[in-house]
Amino acid sequence: MAAHLKKRVYEEFSKVVQIPHEETPAKKLRLSKPSKSAALHIDLCKATNSTDALQYLLQFARKPVEAESVEGVVRILLEHYYKETDNSVRLKIASLLGLLSKTQGFSPDCIVDDAINTLSNEKSHQVLAQLLDTLLVIGTQLPESPALRLRLVEVAYKHLSDTYFGVRNKCLQLLGCLGMVDAPLGKENEGAGTSLGGLRDVQSIISDYFGDQDPRVRTAALKAMLQLHERGMKIHQIIYDQACRLLTDDYEQVRSAAVQMVWVLSQLYPESIVPIPSSNEEIRLVDDAFGKISHMVSDGSWMVRVQATKTLGSMLQVSPHFLEQTLDKKLMSDLRRKRTAHERAKELFASGEFSSGRKWADDAPKEKLDTNTVNLIASGACGAFVHGLEDEMFEVRIAAVEALCQLARSSPSFAEKCLDFLVDMFNDEIEEVRLQSIHVLREISTHITLREDQLDTVLAVLEDSSRDIREALHELLCYTNVSTKECIQLALLELLKNLNKYPTDRNSVWKCLKFLGSRHPTLVLPLVPELLSTHPYFDTPEPDMDDPAYIAVLVLVFNAAKSCPTMPALFSDHTFRHYAYLRDSLSHLVPPLRLPGRKQVYGLDSVDSGPGSGSVESAQLFLQQSLNRVSTIQNLEAPGAQDLLDLTIRDLLRLGELQTELAGAADFCATYLRCQLLLMKALQEKLWNMAVPLCLKQNVTATAAAQQILEETYKLEFLYSGLESRQVATIHHVRLQAKALQLVLTARTRQGLDLLIGSCEKFLQDVESFQRLFLTELPHLQDSFVDKLLELMPRLSSCKPVELVKILQTTLRQSGLLQLRLPEQIHRATATIIEPTGESDNPLRFTSGLVVALDIDATLEHVQDPQNTVKVQVLYPDGQSHVIHPKPGDFRKPGPHRHRLITQVYLSHTAWTEPSQIEVRLLLAYSSSSTSLTSPSKLGWSESLESLPPAEAAVEGTIPFSKAVKVFIMPKPARR
């Protein structure tokens, strides 16, 4: 073996140091790679002591190794391993063997024998543990070799008796990860089974180490058993008693793993019956496990308490009376064994006499009750959630709140009982706990109805200074049921106080009252005269419609009136006028009402125009029919085709306004057709049949159209989510047409051959990039512009620029409309700026040269990665524009596909003579690069990047995706 290694090393070494005598082709020289094994051998031979060798190994570990060199490197390392006497160097070599085994494309089965042989002569426990870790890596890399796995398990079993805890840990880990799931050890191979202790299976071997003297080994044994469970092996029920004993271990890591083990067994055998110690009673295993894990909520380690509390939340099969016991620190009588009436009468008869009442306590029970022996649940588990909610560590309290939520969602009766405890958590000192308890109550709100005292505690949180807390509470009130009209009155009063104290909460409070009214119409009805200040005999003054508090009351009343037809009879005349105004200005908050005798005045029943008129199915059908109709424009003359496109774009935009579910798809199609319309107008006949000096105006129009098409394609690609590869290819196809149009116009209007040559080269690179990126989509682009270009590509690459421009011009005019196929769901990214509203006429005054903070509050819909793409633009009257990138912490995610931006923008300017308006809008940043799908990171480390075609330069820009809001500001001159 040594001779073979020397010969191999000599050959590898000669590749690096030997100068070839024969003339070698340049290509072979460029592709040859220096041998890693030879370089490593040279370094290790240069090492004069173990420190130098360790240093060379550390440097080598930082360099990547190709798959074909791994085996040679391993041989060099093993050769040095046998010669090395220093433990630290051998430890590093063992570690490198494991790392090299993970190399992509390398199969480590060829080094298994050598790795196992190194174990036999190794005396260092640390190196032995590292070698076992290497064997574990090799075993996991070869999952389809049961013989090898069995052999590795035998090696692990052989070293389980080692005195060093690290070796035993690695052996147990190896048993857990590689132990046979299908059959016990020894039953699959009787010959091998004798060395593994007869017919014992892997579970019994691992469970022997539950009682190991070292806590780290006990933890490793539990984790190995859990690993077997994750791999699909059913854990034996006999393990349950051993796991329960480990719940009282002295070390927290052991107790933590034991909690997981008990939970796993409770899920595997929930209905099994287990006896209660010191009693003749029996109990379901899941109930027993629930009681034992509940006891761990009072553990001394806060990490164990967190884990135990979280685990309780997932035990949904537990009996209801055990569940309810966790909310009461006093032991319930239900959890103590009761004797039947027959048993009590029999005992009384056996005593021979009845109580006369003359002696004190002559009817007392004869036996002394020991609560620890007759309880069906450990006394420490009583009030487990009460302990968890009162824990000193806020992590435990959050875990307890989340566990209560999971259990309450599956048990309405438990939800009612834990309501008081969750409401009490609204007063927690930690904001995160308060916020989580509000979210939890929101999730179980369908099962509960708040009493007045509970609602009082909930509404007290509206005074919290945290905006997130207040908005979460508004969201909770949207879905909460209350019991009396006094509760409605109390909620309205507190919400109006909140509105007065925090005016920025206006939209959130209005939305809350909308849902509160629609959920409780019968409770709002008796309050209407008081809320609207109406009188049966006297006219009352008309309230101010600019008052947000009055609008809040109207939102509550109008939403209640939708389900209560008798309520409009209580409205005064000005209330009907206010309804018509709010129905137009705040239609998302005010529902359509049936007001008798007022249809003609306000047009309030226009929503109910016909059955199925707004159905999504009919809208989808109309959308598809519109696209099919447009596909026939190839057969029409230019004026007719343009008119058809104009009408279709108008219809699609209107469809998006009427049917919000299809707004994204309709806008996407309309934008795509607008690009086709612009392209059609730019390619009309009269422009190309005239001499260039005679059509300068048309040239300018066509140039602007080409630029607009490019901008629209970037909107199509980055403003819409849910696009498939087919749609992206279609968008890039239109972009390529626009670039071709720009090239043709450049050749017609500008002089200079150098500029034209550069533009032609750039366009050919774009065509090649398109072909590389969308190779799989090319069959769907037959007879299109790019399909014709690819057919002519050999000719285009060799022809002169003027001839290329002529070919492009002809191909552009002959290519038709590419049919657009819609995916399942397309959503447009939208943003709505809530604050500032832009309605105030009072300017924001500040001293020139200094800054003033402008609060921005906006909602974002269907924006991907908003932390990196959303920016705020401020446009000043003098044309200056500032773009601000909000901090990642300014974004919140209240729901799927929804984000909330709450930030501050700092404004500054020189002094003005009078107030003026600035514009604030949100921008979506994008970066378009054709190399996005072929990242160099996917190539091998040794591959040259020179052979790749030149990449298209990345185009970066921003797209406005919110309406601009105008804000009055007034920079004042500084006082002298």
Side-chain angles (χ1 to χ4, degrees):
M1 178 179 173
H4 173 72
L5 281 173
K6 286 181 180 179
K7 183 180 179 182
R8 186 179 179 87
V9 169
Y10 179 79
E11 290 173 356
E12 303 264 6
F13 179 69
S14 63
K15 292 180 185 178
V16 181
V17 297
Q18 186 179 353
I19 300 173
H21 296 289
E22 298 179 1
E23 194 172 354
T24 311
K27 184 177 181 182
K28 289 185 179 179
L29 277 176
R30 189 177 75 84
L31 290 176
S32 65
K33 304 182 182 72
S35 170
K36 294 284 180 181
S37 55
L40 177 63
H41 181 71
I42 294 171
D43 288 341
L44 293 177
C45 289
K46 286 192 296 184
T48 56
N49 53 40
S50 58
T51 306
D52 291 345
L54 191 60
Q55 196 65 34
Y56 286 129
L57 289 171
L58 289 170
Q59 291 174 4
F60 179 79
R62 300 189 190 103
K63 301 173 184 176
V65 181
E66 61 274 17
E68 57 267 22
S69 301
V70 171
E71 188 175 353
V73 171
V74 168
R75 301 298 173 201
I76 296 296
L77 289 173
L78 286 171
E79 182 185 5
H80 194 77
Y81 176 89
Y82 289 123
K83 295 188 296 185
E84 185 59 54
T85 57
D86 188 87
N87 288 344
S88 59
V89 178
R90 294 207 310 280
L91 184 68
K92 184 60 185 175
I93 291 175
S95 172
L96 281 174
L97 291 176
L99 288 173
L100 290 169
S101 301
K102 297 179 183 177
T103 305
Q104 191 77 23
F106 172 69
S107 179
D109 52 357
C110 57
I111 64 172
V112 173
D113 292 332
D114 295 306
I116 292 177
N117 291 336
T118 56
L119 291 169
S120 55
N121 300 322
E122 185 56 59
K123 303 300 181 186
S124 168
H125 295 294
Q126 286 88 348
V127 179
L128 199 58
Q130 185 61 55
L131 287 170
L132 286 166
D133 187 66
T134 298
L135 289 178
L136 175 62
V137 171
I138 294 173
T140 52
Q141 294 290 319
L142 301 170
E144 298 175 358
S145 177
L148 173 65
R149 294 167 76 93
L150 183 62
R151 187 179 172 194
L152 293 178
V153 168
E154 289 175 20
V155 171
Y157 181 74
K158 179 181 175 183
H159 289 85
L160 266 176
S161 56
D162 196 279
T163 56
Y164 180 57
F165 80 92
V167 176
R168 300 202 298 279
N169 276 4
K170 290 298 177 184
C171 289
L172 288 167
Q173 190 178 351
L174 208 148
L175 286 173
C177 293
L178 304 180
M180 292 299 176
V181 174
D182 303 327
L185 294 177
K187 287 188 179 178
E188 184 172 333
N189 189 336
E190 293 293 337
T194 56
S195 64
L196 294 172
L199 297 177
R200 300 183 61 204
D201 64 6
V202 68
Q203 292 190 35
S204 61
I205 294 171
I206 292 175
S207 62
D208 286 346
Y209 289 84
F210 285 177
D212 193 273
Q213 62 181 359
D214 194 298
R216 291 165 289 193
V217 178
R218 297 198 293 273
T219 306
L222 284 165
K223 289 184 176 178
M225 195 70 78
L226 291 168
Q227 183 71 31
L228 288 177
H229 167 70
E230 290 175 8
R231 290 175 51 222
M233 181 182 285
K234 191 170 184 179
I235 308 299
H236 300 158
Q237 188 180 341
I238 195 172
I239 304 292
Y240 179 71
D241 290 334
Q242 295 173 282
C244 289
R245 283 196 293 272
L246 290 175
L247 290 174
T248 57
D249 197 275
D250 292 339
Y251 292 87
E252 67 173 88
Q253 292 89 350
V254 181
R255 298 197 300 273
S256 178
V259 167
Q260 287 180 281
M261 193 74 249
V262 170
W263 176 81
V264 165
L265 289 163
S266 74
Q267 303 303 303
L268 291 175
Y269 307 99
E271 300 300 328
S272 296
I273 302 300
V274 295
I276 297 175
S278 306
S279 171
N280 59 354
E281 295 299 318
E282 293 181 333
I283 191 175
R284 292 166 70 225
L285 190 144
V286 67
D287 293 336
D288 188 56
F290 185 81
K292 287 180 166 58
I293 295 177
S294 296
H295 187 69
M296 301 304 292
V297 177
S298 304
D299 192 85
S301 166
W302 70 269
M303 296 179 69
V304 176
R305 297 200 299 271
V306 168
Q307 186 178 6
T309 309
K310 287 182 177 178
T311 305
L312 289 178
S314 59
M315 302 182 72
L316 305 178
Q317 296 168 300
V318 69
S319 302
H321 53 279
F322 278 90
L323 201 55
E324 291 161 12
Q325 177 65 69
T326 57
L327 298 175
D328 194 348
K329 289 183 179 180
K330 294 180 292 186
L331 188 65
M332 294 179 182
S333 61
D334 289 341
L335 296 177
R336 190 174 291 159
R337 185 188 179 281
K338 296 177 180 177
R339 292 175 299 169
T340 64
H342 292 289
E343 289 175 334
R344 291 197 299 269
K346 182 180 178 182
E347 185 180 351
L348 189 62
F349 179 75
S351 65
E353 63 175 11
F354 288 90
S355 171
S356 62
R358 294 178 182 177
K359 295 179 182 179
W360 175 257
D362 62 350
D363 57 347
K366 300 295 186 293
E367 77 279 9
K368 183 179 180 181
L369 287 179
D370 182 2
T371 56
N372 289 326
T373 60
V374 298
N375 290 344
L376 299 188
I377 184 171
S379 59
C382 298
F385 280 123
V386 180
H387 290 297
L389 294 173
E390 294 174 353
D391 198 277
E392 61 180 349
M393 304 297 292
F394 82 92
E395 293 91 347
V396 182
R397 300 199 296 274
I398 288 180
V401 167
E402 291 173 349
L404 277 175
C405 173
Q406 293 179 27
L407 293 169
R409 275 187 300 192
S410 61
S411 173
S413 61
F414 184 70
E416 293 179 8
K417 289 182 172 62
C418 70
L419 180 57
D420 283 326
F421 298 96
L422 286 173
V423 169
D424 285 342
M425 297 307 293
F426 284 19
N427 298 319
D428 195 275
E429 60 183 1
I430 303 295
E431 179 180 335
E432 191 176 346
V433 180
R434 298 199 300 271
L435 193 58
Q436 188 62 32
S437 59
I438 293 172
H439 288 320
V440 164
L441 203 57
R442 154 77 181 85
E443 289 188 40
I444 65 172
S445 59
T446 53
H447 299 310
I448 57 175
T449 300
L450 288 179
R451 301 190 309 269
E452 191 169 351
D453 60 314
Q454 293 169 336
L455 183 65
D456 203 11
T457 307
V458 169
L459 293 173
V461 185
L462 286 173
E463 298 182 6
D464 199 298
S465 60
S466 167
R467 183 172 190 157
D468 291 337
I469 294 283
R470 296 196 307 273
E471 291 191 351
L473 195 69
H474 296 154
E475 188 81 11
L476 167 63
L477 290 175
C478 287
Y479 299 97
T480 301
N481 299 313
V482 297
S483 51
T484 62
K485 66 183 180 67
E486 285 75 17
C487 292
I488 293 288
Q489 203 163 13
L490 178 65
L492 177 62
L493 187 62
E494 292 298 326
L495 286 169
L496 293 180
K497 285 182 184 177
N498 173 203
L499 191 60
N500 186 44
K501 188 175 182 179
Y502 300 104
T504 55
D505 290 355
R506 181 178 65 178
N507 288 283
S508 183
V509 169
W510 287 350
K511 178 188 171 189
C512 173
L513 287 168
K514 169 189 173 181
F515 285 93
L516 205 61
S518 61
R519 291 178 76 90
H520 305 92
T522 55
L523 299 181
V524 175
L525 179 60
L527 298 173
V528 168
E530 182 181 351
L531 295 178
L532 298 180
S533 302
T534 57
H535 193 276
Y537 308 122
F538 304 108
D539 281 339
T540 52
E542 183 175 343
D544 183 10
M545 275 302 296
D546 292 331
D547 183 9
Y550 177 61
I551 293 176
V553 173
L554 289 181
V555 168
L556 174 75
V557 171
F558 290 149
N559 280 279
K562 185 177 182 181
S563 306
C564 188
T566 59
M567 195 178 293
L570 302 174
F571 295 171
S572 55
D573 287 340
H574 61 255
T575 308
F576 290 111
R577 293 197 304 274
H578 293 170
Y579 170 78
Y581 170 73
L582 291 178
R583 179 70 188 133
D584 287 337
S585 59
L586 298 174
S587 57
H588 62 290
L589 294 174
V590 179
L593 298 180
R594 292 182 177 276
L595 301 181
R598 296 180 179 267
K599 291 183 188 178
Q600 294 77 15
V601 180
Y602 301 117
L604 300 174
D605 283 346
S606 60
V607 178
D608 304 327
S609 54
S613 60
S615 67
V616 181
E617 291 78 8
S618 59
Q620 285 178 330
L621 181 62
F622 177 79
L623 178 62
Q624 195 58 50
Q625 287 174 345
S626 300
L627 292 178
N628 294 339
R629 186 170 63 246
V630 167
S631 63
T632 62
I633 65 171
Q634 316 286 356
N635 309 322
L636 300 176
E637 295 293 331
Q642 291 181 18
D643 290 343
L644 178 60
L645 281 176
D646 269 325
L647 292 171
T648 307
I649 291 170
R650 187 196 65 184
D651 290 346
L652 291 175
L653 292 176
R654 183 61 179 155
L655 176 67
E657 295 172 4
L658 294 174
Q659 198 71 46
T660 53
E661 291 87 348
L662 294 176
D667 290 346
F668 180 82
C669 296
T671 308
Y672 174 75
L673 294 180
R674 191 180 301 116
C675 292
Q676 296 293 343
L677 180 61
L678 289 169
L679 192 64
M680 189 178 293
K681 289 180 178 178
L683 294 172
Q684 56 188 347
E685 190 78 22
K686 61 181 180 181
L687 172 65
W688 306 98
N689 292 338
M690 295 169 60
V692 175
L694 300 178
C695 59
L696 291 178
K697 184 177 179 182
Q698 286 86 348
N699 270 321
V700 172
T701 306
T703 304
Q707 185 60 36
Q708 188 178 349
I709 292 171
L710 283 178
E711 293 174 1
E712 295 289 342
T713 58
Y714 288 120
K715 287 183 183 179
L716 286 171
E717 186 174 0
F718 298 104
L719 205 57
Y720 295 86
S721 59
L723 300 180
E724 298 172 358
S725 178
R726 176 86 63 89
Q727 287 77 43
V728 178
T730 306
I731 294 167
H732 279 254
H733 180 268
V734 177
R735 189 178 300 162
L736 205 60
Q737 288 178 297
K739 288 180 178 179
L741 179 60
Q742 282 185 328
L743 178 58
V744 173
L745 292 170
T746 301
R748 282 171 63 88
T749 55
R750 295 185 183 176
Q751 302 298 323
L753 189 60
D754 293 340
L755 178 64
L756 185 58
I757 291 174
S759 299
C760 291
E761 290 178 353
K762 177 72 169 59
F763 180 77
L764 291 177
Q765 288 178 12
D766 291 341
V767 176
E768 290 176 358
S769 297
F770 183 94
Q771 182 181 14
R772 189 173 69 252
L773 287 176
F774 303 107
L775 192 61
T776 57
E777 299 299 331
L778 289 178
H780 305 293
L781 302 176
Q782 291 181 356
D783 297 329
S784 64
F785 171 70
V786 74
D787 187 48
K788 295 176 180 177
L789 282 186
L790 291 175
E791 290 177 2
L792 298 169
M793 200 63 188
R795 180 182 171 191
L796 294 176
S797 303
S798 58
C799 68
K800 294 181 179 180
V802 177
E803 186 181 354
L804 185 145
V805 169
K806 289 181 179 178
I807 294 173
L808 283 182
Q809 179 177 332
T810 306
T811 310
L812 263 178
R813 296 184 62 191
Q814 289 177 352
S815 60
L817 173 70
L818 189 62
Q819 181 71 18
L820 180 66
R821 188 178 68 86
L822 283 178
E824 294 297 325
Q825 285 289 336
I826 290 185
H827 297 288
R828 178 184 171 125
T830 57
T832 306
I833 299 177
I834 302 171
E835 293 290 338
T837 58
E839 299 172 354
S840 175
D841 293 332
N842 296 324
L844 198 59
R845 300 179 184 274
F846 61 99
T847 303
S848 62
L850 301 180
V851 296
V852 63
L854 178 66
D855 291 323
I856 303 289
D857 182 3
T859 57
L860 314 175
E861 301 276 350
H862 302 288
V863 178
Q864 298 175 344
D865 193 18
Q867 288 85 352
N868 296 321
T869 56
V870 174
K871 300 179 187 297
V872 182
Q873 183 189 45
V874 180
L875 191 63
Y876 291 93
D878 58 357
Q880 288 188 40
S881 175
H882 293 169
V883 177
I884 300 97
H885 197 156
K887 301 189 295 291
D890 294 338
F891 292 91
R892 295 157 178 80
K893 190 171 182 180
H897 310 298
R898 290 182 59 221
H899 289 85
R900 183 86 177 271
L901 172 62
I902 300 176
T903 187
Q904 282 189 328
V905 171
Y906 295 103
L907 310 175
S908 183
H909 212 281
T910 55
W912 297 353
T913 55
E914 60 184 25
S916 190
Q917 289 179 331
I918 61 168
E919 289 188 1
V920 180
R921 63 164 59 90
L922 295 183
L923 305 177
L924 191 70
Y926 65 85
S927 174
S928 171
S929 174
S930 65
T931 57
S932 59
L933 298 181
T934 54
S935 173
S937 62
K938 296 183 182 179
L939 302 170
W941 69 275
S942 59
E943 296 291 338
S944 173
L945 296 177
E946 295 175 1
S947 59
L948 286 179
E952 178 189 354
V955 178
E956 296 184 353
T958 55
I959 304 170
F961 73 120
S962 76
K963 292 182 180 179
V965 175
K966 295 184 178 181
V967 180
F968 263 110
I969 66 168
M970 176 59 190
K972 301 179 297 183
R975 293 182 180 179
R976 299 292 181 184

